[in-house]
Amino acid sequence: MFTDDVKLTNPLHVAFVRSQIASGEIVELETEDALEAEGVAAVHTGADVADLGSLSVNPVLPIKHLPPFSVLAQATVRGLGQPVAAVLGETALQAADAAELVYAEIEPTESSPILVAEKNWSNAQYEEAAAKADHVVSCTIQHPRLAPSPMEPRSIAAAYDAETDCVTVWHSTQTPHRTRSELAAILGIEAKRIRVIAPHVGGAFGMKASLYPEDVFVVWAALKHKRDVKWTATRSEEFLSATHGRGIKSEGELALSSDGTFLGLKAMVEGPVGAWLPNSGLITAWNAARVLPSGYAVPAQDITTQAVMNNLGPTGIYRGAGRPEANCLMERLIDKAAAVSGIDPVELRRKNLIPATALPHNTLTGNTLDSGDYAKALDVLCEAVDYPALLAEQTRCRAEGQLVGIGIGFYLEPSGNGWETARVTLNEDGSVVVASGSSSQGHGRETAFAQIAADALNIDIDQISVLLADTAKTPEGIGALASRSTAIGGSAVLKACEEITSRLEASEALPITADVRYENKGQAWGYGAYLAQVSICRSTGELSVERITCVDDTGTIVNPKLVEGQILGGLAQGLGEALMESIVYDEDGQLLTGSFMDYAMPRAADIPTIDIHKFETPSPMNALGAKGVGEAGTIGAPAAILNAAVDALRPLGVTDLTMPLTSQSLWRAIRSAEQGKS
Amino acid sequence: MEMSGEHIIPANREAVWAALNDAGVLQACIPGCEEVVKSSDTELSAKVRLKIGPVKARFSGDVTLSDIVAPETYVISGKGNGGVAGFAKGGARVHLEDLGDEGTKLTYEVEAAIGGKLAQLGQRLIKSTSEKLAAQFFDSFAAQFEPEAA
């Protein structure tokens, strides 16, 4: 069951009236006609919700200016698509019809970008390193802005209980416990009056890790009107007002000596944020900088990141959330360094990767790279693809005039830090109930948690039932984000099962319930190396991905099938970024990609043959030894594909390309390179 | 969006100029126009029903005439609000050249911008739709001056 399927009692349906301009002052807001329309119970504007609180923002970067969180726009509109009024109707269609009758006159105002947060990490050695370097290569990458586009759009349903004056909220979210605590804080009510259930979530990808103004409005309206209320976004509303991902611009310089030793890295990252910040609104700009310089030893570093507010749609975490951006910058710089130094790209990487013996390694950007053998990922990759044979084939194809490229993308994937909970009960009949504070976006979490419990308790998996994502039935927890759930949530399940085993050994009578709040020692860093082989048609610019080979060390694997599913799904989204997806606004800030007619999503037929290899180095940071894998494909694939595309056009003199690598952009690159030569 | 064009109108320049300032003629010629009300020599309001791609809406807006050099040229500009369908705003510089017996050459340059759902869903169709609407307008406008069918 999905949230939109929840049957409420005589619910009111919400339709939002949204700003059609990016920045302005509300000079007139007429709601009388809408209020008189058939089936309309109420029309609300900013004044009605002016006293509500703000959403909390994870301050991973020092905040200079926190944009206000408005459930409905107050006097000022700061973003395209921002809700300015809400209509409550007896049916969804009546609400939508009445919303058309609301007249909003918004006087456009000029606006300039505002610096929201900024951080620099520097050991003040970069300029010196660059001065003595034999080569300094530079690169600018503008990542396309992406619409996460889960199959199920945002949806929330609130059931009001008159007897207790409480609400039960079904919410399509990755973080039901956070929904509850944030709702309580923003609405100024006790959390015990709110029960949150996340039924099946039809995909989330980070886009559903935070409360939205629309969500808050629905629950506020249920309590205000003492009725059930529901809202499900249309696909158009998702393009316009759900958080977008990427959009990061990163510029970098890599200094190296003639033998290929990396001497220094300078990077400047700029991440866009919208009119309001979701909980994880600063994570992307933070990750895009602090994951630098990936798994490489680079003595001198000067890394800066900024989150800058503009008037386009809101942005937030999207599968990868800064990890693809950091890794992509590093991998592009290395390929450029390989080109100028004449050193093979694989060899150059191997030479500079932090050796296994040097792990754990503390980075300048505040991370501890915990475990693994980074160069081994390259070794396994080269063996899997027969790298020398691949290069020989490329030479042969190039001699025939074909545009063929090979691209490598080494990556690091940090998974989340902190705690998660588990409550495991072993009943007298031998059955086991695992209740976790984590949740699922459709990962198969229930299967993985049941496996962990079955192994730890040495019982049949069919004896185990798993409860997730209901604040009334599970211990308080964090949720499914930052590739943290198996590593931390799974470790909590393991610890709870171990406690049950030892209490059983101490002859305690059944039923036994173990409540565990497990905190990891630190982030577990997954890593891997991807190789993409592409060919580009000289006359049309059309790119074909001939093959992708993945090598991932995801630590201890609980369920190989689920891990493979994560890699494949992530890879499809990574391929989407590399080849086709892009949100576009015009110069007035109007959204031009408001439907799947204009926003290209990869389909099954676009996905090439994918060859997946793995090895396991258990992480010492959590009880299971697991590392994150949910984002691996979105990180490794774009870097490898982009490098392969540039490599394919290298004989023409092309040194840079911008994603998405559409046939149009490649055709232009080929034409301008050929004209430049003649 | 920018668009320009020229048409030969089979009438003398004064007659064409008068028609361009006649609310009744404009209402008859603008495709989908339900109403044109002239509140002064330079101010009009209009209601137009339009379909652009998947977006169907009734636009209402105010129109202003400026830079008037009778009977040669004016700038007609305005903003139409189509509710949730979005908005359109822009202007056209219209110029009339006297061709003697051949009639009058009307040239125009349009600059327009759209917003809201129109931009999100109709952007790729806006140019072709606008060109089609302009062609319809001038066909109807030229027909105003044709002698009754013989």
Side-chain angles (χ1 to χ4, degrees):
Chain A
M1 184 181 69
F2 296 88
T3 298
D4 194 52
D5 300 326
V6 172
K7 293 278 179 279
L8 297 174
T9 308
N10 192 24
L12 289 170
H13 298 260
V14 184
F16 291 98
V17 178
R18 298 178 182 279
S19 173
Q20 297 182 349
I21 60 168
S23 169
E25 297 291 328
I26 300 174
V27 290
E28 204 178 341
L29 195 50
E30 284 178 17
T31 56
E32 289 81 3
D33 290 353
L35 202 49
E36 284 167 15
E38 194 186 339
V40 170
V43 181
H44 291 287
T45 62
D48 301 325
V49 289
D51 295 336
L52 298 183
S54 290
L55 186 69
S56 64
V57 175
N58 188 350
V60 287
L61 295 174
I63 296 173
K64 292 185 183 302
H65 167 86
L66 186 62
F69 178 82
S70 304
V71 171
L72 297 172
Q74 301 299 312
T76 304
V77 166
R78 281 269 346 181
L80 186 74
Q82 197 176 352
V84 295
V87 177
L88 290 161
E90 297 295 339
T91 71
L93 290 177
Q94 285 173 330
D97 281 348
E100 292 204 26
L101 300 175
V102 173
Y103 179 76
E105 175 85 37
I106 303 171
E107 188 62 36
T109 51
E110 288 295 318
S111 68
S112 45
I114 296 171
L115 181 62
V116 166
E118 185 178 32
K119 184 159 182 163
N120 169 266
W121 297 267
S122 172
N123 55 12
Q125 295 164 11
Y126 178 77
E127 298 307 328
E128 195 187 326
K132 71 176 184 197
D134 295 306
H135 307 288
V136 177
V137 292
S138 65
C139 187
T140 299
I141 299 177
Q142 175 64 61
H143 285 261
R145 206 177 159 102
L146 304 180
S149 306
M151 281 187 286
E152 184 198 22
R154 287 172 294 161
S155 187
I156 186 165
Y160 177 75
D161 183 59
E163 218 164 280
T164 58
D165 197 25
C166 292
V167 280
T168 299
V169 178
W170 287 266
H171 189 205
S172 184
T173 181
Q174 307 165 228
T175 49
H177 295 275
R178 182 189 279 174
T179 293
R180 182 176 186 238
S181 58
E182 292 289 338
L183 276 174
I186 295 168
L187 298 175
I189 64 173
E190 284 182 280
K192 68 180 182 192
R193 289 177 62 197
I194 307 168
R195 173 183 177 188
V196 177
I197 300 169
H200 281 133
V201 174
F205 314 121
M207 198 197 89
K208 296 176 184 168
S210 178
L211 267 183
Y212 283 81
E214 292 93 332
D215 299 325
V216 177
F217 178 82
V218 166
V219 181
W220 174 84
L223 290 164
K224 161 101 181 162
H225 294 281
K226 301 189 182 300
R227 281 186 67 174
D228 292 5
V229 179
K230 79 183 291 188
W231 173 69
T232 296
T234 63
R235 187 59 67 181
S236 295
E237 283 181 298
E238 295 304 75
F239 279 109
L240 190 62
S241 61
T243 52
H244 295 148
R246 312 282 190 270
I248 293 257
K249 180 184 177 185
S250 24
E251 297 173 276
E253 270 183 27
L254 180 66
L256 63 155
S257 61
S258 59
D259 71 351
T261 306
F262 295 168
L263 304 175
L265 172 75
K266 183 173 185 172
M268 176 70 208
V269 174
E270 187 183 315
V273 297
W276 61 279
L277 292 186
N279 290 118
S280 302
L282 298 175
I283 295 283
T284 308
W286 175 57
N287 275 339
R290 65 114 186 177
V291 175
L292 290 169
S294 178
Y296 302 96
V298 185
Q301 293 176 37
D302 182 355
I303 296 166
T304 305
T305 188
Q306 293 183 334
V308 178
M309 177 184 174
N310 55 39
N311 302 97
L312 308 176
T315 67
I317 50 173
Y318 168 52
R319 199 172 192 176
R323 299 167 182 83
E325 293 92 323
N327 282 284
C328 204
L329 179 66
M330 205 60 207
E331 294 304 298
R332 282 294 303 127
L333 285 169
I334 293 173
D335 262 27
K336 285 195 157 185
V340 298
S341 67
I343 301 171
D344 176 83
V346 172
E347 199 43 52
L348 187 59
R349 286 175 170 82
R350 193 184 277 122
K351 181 181 176 67
N352 287 284
L353 281 170
I354 298 167
T357 50
L359 297 181
H361 167 82
N362 292 325
T363 72
L364 180 70
T365 50
N367 308 304
T368 300
L369 310 184
D370 61 303
S371 65
D373 184 347
Y374 296 163
K376 185 178 170 187
L378 287 175
D379 296 340
V380 173
L381 183 69
C382 287
E383 198 181 318
V385 299
D386 192 354
Y387 187 64
L390 210 58
L391 291 177
E393 191 194 334
Q394 183 184 33
T395 306
R396 183 183 62 77
C397 291
R398 277 185 173 163
E400 291 173 1
Q402 293 183 48
L403 300 175
V404 289
I406 296 167
I408 308 281
F410 176 84
Y411 76 87
L412 288 186
E413 180 192 359
S415 61
N417 198 14
W419 59 274
E420 193 55 273
T421 55
R423 178 182 299 143
V424 178
T425 302
L426 175 58
N427 294 311
E428 286 161 303
D429 64 359
S431 67
V432 171
V433 177
V434 175
S436 165
S438 185
S439 66
S440 182
Q441 316 168 27
H443 312 83
R445 180 91 62 235
E446 296 86 343
T447 305
F449 283 5
Q451 275 186 276
I452 292 166
D455 286 351
L457 296 169
N458 196 23
I459 61 166
D460 194 278
I461 195 163
D462 295 335
Q463 294 279 85
I464 299 168
S465 53
V466 177
L467 293 176
L468 298 170
D470 181 342
T471 60
K473 292 184 177 169
T474 63
E476 192 174 356
I478 303 289
L481 70 169
S483 294
R484 72 198 303 286
S485 298
T486 302
I488 311 178
S491 289
V493 172
L494 176 65
K495 284 288 175 192
C497 291
E498 285 174 358
E499 183 187 319
I500 287 179
T501 304
S502 59
R503 282 162 63 180
L504 261 184
E505 281 167 2
S507 305
E508 188 172 329
L510 295 176
I512 301 174
T513 295
D515 255 303
V516 165
R517 183 180 189 276
Y518 175 81
E519 183 159 0
N520 68 359
K521 291 181 206 153
Q523 298 178 346
W525 288 68
Y527 62 93
Y530 285 23
L531 182 141
Q533 190 186 354
V534 308
S535 65
I536 298 173
C537 175
R538 195 183 288 264
S539 51
T540 65
E542 193 176 355
L543 182 148
S544 306
V545 179
E546 308 291 346
R547 77 150 101 184
I548 291 188
T549 303
C550 312
V551 176
D552 304 273
D553 176 2
T554 64
T556 304
I557 292 175
V558 173
N559 183 315
K561 202 75 199 160
L562 294 178
V563 166
E564 193 180 308
Q566 286 298 316
I567 292 169
L568 285 176
L571 206 144
Q573 287 178 306
L575 185 122
E577 169 176 17
L579 300 183
M580 57 190 84
E581 294 183 52
S582 181
I583 286 281
V584 180
Y585 291 93
D586 73 7
E587 63 274 14
D588 296 328
Q590 289 294 331
L591 176 67
L592 301 185
T593 45
S595 78
F596 285 128
M597 282 284 285
D598 297 280
Y599 184 87
M601 290 284 282
R603 300 169 187 215
D606 296 312
I607 307 304
T609 306
I610 298 166
D611 189 19
I612 295 176
H613 300 262
K614 59 177 187 291
F615 58 94
E616 301 176 46
T617 314
S619 171
M621 308 311 269
N622 60 73
L624 269 180
K627 298 173 182 173
V629 66
E631 306 173 84
T634 60
I635 312 171
I641 294 171
L642 183 57
N643 273 339
V646 174
D647 187 49
L649 302 188
R650 199 183 310 281
L652 304 178
V654 171
T655 55
D656 289 285
L657 290 168
T658 297
M659 298 185 288
L661 303 165
T662 61
S663 52
Q664 185 194 32
S665 70
L666 293 172
W667 185 87
R668 284 177 191 275
I670 293 167
R671 285 298 161 278
S672 60
E674 285 178 344
Q675 281 165 8
K677 275 187 168 179
S678 60
Chain B
M1 190 220 29
E2 288 172 13
M3 186 171 76
S4 62
E6 57 177 59
H7 292 264
I8 308 291
I9 312 291
N12 68 47
R13 189 160 75 168
E14 279 69 24
V16 175
W17 178 259
L20 280 177
N21 285 277
D22 182 326
V25 172
L26 292 175
Q27 184 175 333
C29 299
I30 296 170
C33 185
E34 295 175 342
E35 179 185 281
V36 174
V37 177
K38 203 166 175 178
S39 49
S40 78
D41 279 352
T42 58
E43 285 166 4
L44 306 93
S45 65
K47 284 194 170 63
V48 180
R49 194 174 279 279
L50 278 183
K51 183 173 183 299
I52 300 174
V55 184
K56 210 189 289 186
R58 189 163 184 247
F59 290 85
S60 57
D62 295 323
V63 177
T64 310
L65 305 178
S66 57
D67 290 359
I68 300 171
V69 184
E72 257 184 64
T73 180
Y74 70 28
V75 172
I76 180 166
S77 53
K79 181 180 170 185
N81 192 332
V84 291
F87 62 84
K89 59 182 177 182
R93 174 173 288 281
V94 180
H95 185 85
L96 301 180
E97 187 186 339
D98 194 343
L99 300 180
D101 289 348
E102 286 176 46
T104 303
K105 182 159 90 176
L106 183 156
T107 53
Y108 65 91
E109 289 160 22
V110 176
E111 256 192 57
I114 52 173
K117 196 154 279 182
L118 263 184
Q120 292 150 32
L121 301 178
Q123 187 71 26
R124 62 166 77 233
L125 303 161
I126 199 77
K127 177 109 179 164
S128 59
T129 305
S130 304
E131 281 166 357
K132 195 179 80 188
L133 294 174
Q136 281 175 20
F137 173 83
F138 287 110
D139 284 350
S140 307
F141 191 71
Q144 299 282 323
F145 302 98
E146 272 162 22
E148 296 296 317

